[in-house]
Amino acid sequence: MVKVVVTGAKGFIGQHLCRALKARGDVELTEVVRSTPQAELMDACREADAIFHLAGVNRSDKDVDFWQGNYALTVQIVDYLKHSKRHYEGETPFLYLASSTKTQRRNNEMDAYSLSKLAAENYVQLNSAGTYCAQIGVLPHVFGPGARPFYNSVIATWCHQLANGLPARVTDGEETLSYELIHVDHVVSNAIEAM
């Protein structure tokens, strides 16, 4: 059995990933949510063969929430991996970090969300050598069943607006907004394939 940890297990992508992992039959799954005690997260990470780190903050009025939910949590998980049972046994655990195409913006276009995700990516990459095998999923706009309008999917937002007779804004002034899209099932299959 492969010991797998999924943070953000009750989130949009997390629910789909957990369903797919359970269907495999060869996975011992630990689902981590906001209410998971710190000690339980630490123990799970130290025992894990693979961690899918999907948890994070994507909406807040306070910049500090992005730094705590995206960067600081990633640092914790990486530090747990550095002291993992697998590492000391000479094995290389797998770490998948869900990030965003917003990290690829120019510096003057980056907000606290983008900067906190970029810092998390950098921390994962800087600490991976000899500790774990890292895969960073730089995700564009994800859509599919379970996406929430005005929260985690521009497609869900547009569908909600159109279904309720509201205008769906697909322009920013004179320019048409361009969105690279990916279905949640493709995100899940790509992440599992990377493991």
Side-chain angles (χ1 to χ4, degrees), residues 12-13 16-17 20 52 54 96 135 137-145 180-195:
F12 170 42
I13 298 171
H16 288 270
L17 178 60
F52 292 93
L54 308 176
Y96 176 92
Q135 171 78 39
V138 180
L139 305 176
H141 291 276
V142 182
F143 69 98
E180 186 180 343
L181 305 172
I182 188 168
H183 193 275
V184 67
D185 289 346
H186 291 143
V187 173
V188 167
S189 61
N190 292 343
I192 290 175
E193 186 178 321
M195 177 181 69

Short mmCIF file of all heavy atoms in Angstrom, two decimals, residues 12-13 16-17 20 52 54 96 135 137-145 180-195:
data_model
loop_
_atom_site.label_atom_id
_atom_site.label_comp_id
_atom_site.label_asym_id
_atom_site.label_seq_id
_atom_site.Cartn_x
_atom_site.Cartn_y
_atom_site.Cartn_z
N PHE A 12 -12.27 21.73 -3.93
CA PHE A 12 -12.73 21.40 -5.27
C PHE A 12 -11.86 20.30 -5.91
O PHE A 12 -12.35 19.23 -6.27
CB PHE A 12 -12.74 22.68 -6.12
CG PHE A 12 -12.96 22.50 -7.59
CD1 PHE A 12 -13.90 21.61 -8.08
CD2 PHE A 12 -12.23 23.26 -8.49
CE1 PHE A 12 -14.10 21.46 -9.45
CE2 PHE A 12 -12.43 23.14 -9.85
CZ PHE A 12 -13.36 22.23 -10.33
N ILE A 13 -10.56 20.54 -6.02
CA ILE A 13 -9.67 19.55 -6.64
C ILE A 13 -9.46 18.38 -5.68
O ILE A 13 -9.42 17.22 -6.11
CB ILE A 13 -8.34 20.20 -7.04
CG1 ILE A 13 -8.57 21.30 -8.07
CG2 ILE A 13 -7.37 19.15 -7.58
CD1 ILE A 13 -7.34 22.15 -8.37
N HIS A 16 -12.03 15.51 -5.84
CA HIS A 16 -11.86 14.69 -7.05
C HIS A 16 -10.64 13.79 -6.94
O HIS A 16 -10.67 12.62 -7.31
CB HIS A 16 -11.75 15.60 -8.28
CG HIS A 16 -13.04 16.25 -8.67
ND1 HIS A 16 -13.93 15.66 -9.55
CD2 HIS A 16 -13.60 17.42 -8.31
CE1 HIS A 16 -14.98 16.44 -9.71
NE2 HIS A 16 -14.79 17.53 -8.96
N LEU A 17 -9.53 14.34 -6.42
CA LEU A 17 -8.31 13.55 -6.28
C LEU A 17 -8.51 12.42 -5.28
O LEU A 17 -8.11 11.28 -5.55
CB LEU A 17 -7.14 14.45 -5.83
CG LEU A 17 -5.81 13.73 -5.59
CD1 LEU A 17 -5.32 13.03 -6.86
CD2 LEU A 17 -4.77 14.71 -5.08
N ALA A 20 -10.42 9.57 -6.82
CA ALA A 20 -9.61 8.81 -7.77
C ALA A 20 -8.59 7.94 -7.06
O ALA A 20 -8.35 6.79 -7.46
CB ALA A 20 -8.91 9.77 -8.74
N PHE A 52 0.07 15.18 -1.73
CA PHE A 52 -0.52 16.11 -2.68
C PHE A 52 -0.96 17.32 -1.88
O PHE A 52 -1.94 17.25 -1.14
CB PHE A 52 -1.72 15.47 -3.41
CG PHE A 52 -1.32 14.36 -4.33
CD1 PHE A 52 -1.32 13.04 -3.89
CD2 PHE A 52 -0.95 14.63 -5.64
CE1 PHE A 52 -0.97 12.01 -4.74
CE2 PHE A 52 -0.59 13.60 -6.50
CZ PHE A 52 -0.60 12.29 -6.05
N LEU A 54 -2.67 20.44 -1.82
CA LEU A 54 -3.65 21.23 -2.55
C LEU A 54 -4.22 22.37 -1.72
O LEU A 54 -4.86 23.27 -2.25
CB LEU A 54 -4.80 20.34 -3.03
CG LEU A 54 -4.43 19.07 -3.80
CD1 LEU A 54 -5.68 18.26 -4.12
CD2 LEU A 54 -3.67 19.40 -5.06
N TYR A 96 3.65 16.82 -4.42
CA TYR A 96 2.99 17.56 -5.49
C TYR A 96 2.43 18.83 -4.87
O TYR A 96 1.64 18.78 -3.93
CB TYR A 96 1.86 16.73 -6.10
CG TYR A 96 1.06 17.47 -7.16
CD1 TYR A 96 1.42 17.39 -8.50
CD2 TYR A 96 -0.05 18.23 -6.82
CE1 TYR A 96 0.69 18.06 -9.47
CE2 TYR A 96 -0.78 18.90 -7.79
CZ TYR A 96 -0.40 18.82 -9.11
OH TYR A 96 -1.12 19.49 -10.07
N GLN A 135 7.01 17.87 -7.66
CA GLN A 135 6.29 18.19 -8.90
C GLN A 135 5.41 19.39 -8.56
O GLN A 135 4.62 19.32 -7.62
CB GLN A 135 5.43 17.03 -9.35
CG GLN A 135 4.50 17.33 -10.50
CD GLN A 135 5.21 17.33 -11.84
OE1 GLN A 135 6.09 16.51 -12.07
NE2 GLN A 135 4.85 18.24 -12.70
N GLY A 137 2.45 21.63 -9.85
CA GLY A 137 1.37 21.74 -10.81
C GLY A 137 0.98 23.19 -10.95
O GLY A 137 0.30 23.74 -10.08
N VAL A 138 1.45 23.83 -12.00
CA VAL A 138 1.12 25.24 -12.25
C VAL A 138 -0.20 25.23 -13.03
O VAL A 138 -0.22 24.99 -14.23
CB VAL A 138 2.24 25.95 -13.03
CG1 VAL A 138 1.88 27.41 -13.27
CG2 VAL A 138 3.56 25.85 -12.27
N LEU A 139 -1.28 25.45 -12.30
CA LEU A 139 -2.62 25.25 -12.85
C LEU A 139 -3.23 26.55 -13.39
O LEU A 139 -3.21 27.57 -12.72
CB LEU A 139 -3.53 24.69 -11.77
CG LEU A 139 -3.03 23.40 -11.09
CD1 LEU A 139 -3.98 23.00 -9.97
CD2 LEU A 139 -2.88 22.29 -12.11
N PRO A 140 -3.82 26.46 -14.59
CA PRO A 140 -4.60 27.58 -15.10
C PRO A 140 -5.98 27.53 -14.45
O PRO A 140 -6.15 26.92 -13.40
CB PRO A 140 -4.67 27.29 -16.61
CG PRO A 140 -4.62 25.80 -16.69
CD PRO A 140 -3.75 25.35 -15.53
N HIS A 141 -6.97 28.11 -15.08
CA HIS A 141 -8.32 28.09 -14.53
C HIS A 141 -8.88 26.68 -14.62
O HIS A 141 -9.00 26.10 -15.70
CB HIS A 141 -9.22 29.08 -15.30
CG HIS A 141 -8.85 30.49 -15.04
ND1 HIS A 141 -9.31 31.18 -13.95
CD2 HIS A 141 -8.03 31.33 -15.70
CE1 HIS A 141 -8.82 32.40 -13.96
NE2 HIS A 141 -8.03 32.51 -15.01
N VAL A 142 -9.24 26.11 -13.46
CA VAL A 142 -9.75 24.75 -13.38
C VAL A 142 -11.27 24.82 -13.34
O VAL A 142 -11.84 25.65 -12.65
CB VAL A 142 -9.20 24.03 -12.12
CG1 VAL A 142 -9.70 22.60 -12.06
CG2 VAL A 142 -7.67 24.08 -12.09
N PHE A 143 -11.91 23.91 -14.09
CA PHE A 143 -13.37 23.87 -14.08
C PHE A 143 -13.83 22.43 -14.00
O PHE A 143 -13.04 21.50 -14.21
CB PHE A 143 -13.95 24.56 -15.32
CG PHE A 143 -13.70 23.83 -16.61
CD1 PHE A 143 -14.69 23.01 -17.16
CD2 PHE A 143 -12.48 23.93 -17.27
CE1 PHE A 143 -14.47 22.33 -18.35
CE2 PHE A 143 -12.26 23.24 -18.46
CZ PHE A 143 -13.26 22.44 -18.99
N GLY A 144 -15.09 22.25 -13.68
CA GLY A 144 -15.67 20.92 -13.62
C GLY A 144 -16.68 20.82 -12.50
O GLY A 144 -16.96 21.81 -11.80
N PRO A 145 -17.23 19.61 -12.28
CA PRO A 145 -18.24 19.42 -11.24
C PRO A 145 -17.71 19.82 -9.86
O PRO A 145 -16.59 19.48 -9.49
CB PRO A 145 -18.52 17.91 -11.28
CG PRO A 145 -18.02 17.45 -12.60
CD PRO A 145 -16.91 18.37 -13.00
N GLU A 180 -6.69 30.33 -19.97
CA GLU A 180 -6.31 28.96 -20.26
C GLU A 180 -7.09 28.10 -19.28
O GLU A 180 -7.14 28.39 -18.09
CB GLU A 180 -4.80 28.79 -20.04
CG GLU A 180 -4.28 27.45 -20.46
CD GLU A 180 -2.79 27.31 -20.22
OE1 GLU A 180 -2.11 28.35 -20.02
OE2 GLU A 180 -2.32 26.18 -20.21
N LEU A 181 -7.73 27.05 -19.79
CA LEU A 181 -8.62 26.24 -18.97
C LEU A 181 -8.14 24.80 -18.89
O LEU A 181 -7.51 24.30 -19.82
CB LEU A 181 -10.04 26.25 -19.56
CG LEU A 181 -10.68 27.61 -19.79
CD1 LEU A 181 -11.98 27.44 -20.57
CD2 LEU A 181 -10.93 28.31 -18.48
N ILE A 182 -8.47 24.13 -17.77
CA ILE A 182 -8.21 22.70 -17.63
C ILE A 182 -9.33 22.10 -16.79
O ILE A 182 -9.76 22.69 -15.79
CB ILE A 182 -6.82 22.42 -17.01
CG1 ILE A 182 -6.50 20.92 -17.06
CG2 ILE A 182 -6.73 22.97 -15.60
CD1 ILE A 182 -5.06 20.59 -16.74
N HIS A 183 -9.82 20.95 -17.21
CA HIS A 183 -10.87 20.25 -16.47
C HIS A 183 -10.25 19.59 -15.25
O HIS A 183 -9.12 19.10 -15.29
CB HIS A 183 -11.55 19.22 -17.37
CG HIS A 183 -12.82 18.68 -16.79
ND1 HIS A 183 -12.83 17.64 -15.90
CD2 HIS A 183 -14.11 19.07 -16.95
CE1 HIS A 183 -14.09 17.38 -15.54
NE2 HIS A 183 -14.88 18.24 -16.18
N VAL A 184 -10.99 19.55 -14.16
CA VAL A 184 -10.48 19.00 -12.91
C VAL A 184 -10.04 17.54 -13.07
O VAL A 184 -9.07 17.10 -12.44
CB VAL A 184 -11.51 19.16 -11.77
CG1 VAL A 184 -12.76 18.32 -12.00
CG2 VAL A 184 -10.88 18.87 -10.41
N ASP A 185 -10.71 16.77 -13.92
CA ASP A 185 -10.30 15.38 -14.14
C ASP A 185 -8.90 15.29 -14.74
O ASP A 185 -8.14 14.36 -14.42
CB ASP A 185 -11.30 14.66 -15.06
CG ASP A 185 -12.63 14.38 -14.38
OD1 ASP A 185 -12.71 14.50 -13.14
OD2 ASP A 185 -13.59 14.06 -15.10
N HIS A 186 -8.55 16.25 -15.60
CA HIS A 186 -7.21 16.26 -16.17
C HIS A 186 -6.17 16.65 -15.11
O HIS A 186 -5.05 16.11 -15.10
CB HIS A 186 -7.13 17.18 -17.38
CG HIS A 186 -7.90 16.68 -18.55
ND1 HIS A 186 -8.59 17.49 -19.40
CD2 HIS A 186 -8.10 15.42 -19.02
CE1 HIS A 186 -9.18 16.78 -20.32
NE2 HIS A 186 -8.90 15.51 -20.10
N VAL A 187 -6.52 17.57 -14.24
CA VAL A 187 -5.61 17.93 -13.14
C VAL A 187 -5.32 16.70 -12.31
O VAL A 187 -4.17 16.39 -11.98
CB VAL A 187 -6.22 19.05 -12.26
CG1 VAL A 187 -5.36 19.29 -11.03
CG2 VAL A 187 -6.40 20.33 -13.05
N VAL A 188 -6.37 15.96 -11.96
CA VAL A 188 -6.23 14.77 -11.12
C VAL A 188 -5.40 13.70 -11.81
O VAL A 188 -4.47 13.14 -11.23
CB VAL A 188 -7.63 14.22 -10.72
CG1 VAL A 188 -7.54 12.83 -10.13
CG2 VAL A 188 -8.30 15.18 -9.75
N SER A 189 -5.71 13.40 -13.07
CA SER A 189 -4.95 12.35 -13.76
C SER A 189 -3.49 12.76 -13.95
O SER A 189 -2.59 11.92 -13.79
CB SER A 189 -5.59 11.99 -15.10
OG SER A 189 -5.63 13.08 -15.96
N ASN A 190 -3.22 14.02 -14.22
CA ASN A 190 -1.83 14.49 -14.35
C ASN A 190 -1.08 14.37 -13.03
O ASN A 190 0.09 13.97 -13.00
CB ASN A 190 -1.78 15.94 -14.84
CG ASN A 190 -2.25 16.10 -16.27
OD1 ASN A 190 -2.32 15.13 -17.03
ND2 ASN A 190 -2.58 17.33 -16.65
N ALA A 191 -1.74 14.71 -11.92
CA ALA A 191 -1.10 14.63 -10.61
C ALA A 191 -0.79 13.19 -10.24
O ALA A 191 0.31 12.87 -9.75
CB ALA A 191 -1.99 15.28 -9.55
N ILE A 192 -1.74 12.29 -10.47
CA ILE A 192 -1.52 10.87 -10.14
C ILE A 192 -0.43 10.28 -11.04
O ILE A 192 0.42 9.52 -10.57
CB ILE A 192 -2.84 10.08 -10.24
CG1 ILE A 192 -3.78 10.50 -9.10
CG2 ILE A 192 -2.57 8.58 -10.18
CD1 ILE A 192 -5.16 9.89 -9.17
N GLU A 193 -0.45 10.67 -12.30
CA GLU A 193 0.60 10.17 -13.21
C GLU A 193 1.98 10.65 -12.76
O GLU A 193 2.96 9.90 -12.84
CB GLU A 193 0.31 10.67 -14.63
CG GLU A 193 1.25 10.10 -15.67
CD GLU A 193 0.91 10.58 -17.07
OE1 GLU A 193 -0.28 10.67 -17.38
OE2 GLU A 193 1.87 10.84 -17.84
N ALA A 194 2.08 11.87 -12.27
CA ALA A 194 3.36 12.39 -11.79
C ALA A 194 3.86 11.59 -10.59
O ALA A 194 5.05 11.35 -10.44
CB ALA A 194 3.21 13.86 -11.41
N MET A 195 2.93 11.11 -9.75
CA MET A 195 3.33 10.29 -8.59
C MET A 195 3.92 8.98 -9.06
O MET A 195 4.86 8.49 -8.52
CB MET A 195 2.10 10.03 -7.70
CG MET A 195 2.38 9.15 -6.51
SD MET A 195 0.94 8.80 -5.46
CE MET A 195 -0.05 7.77 -6.52
#
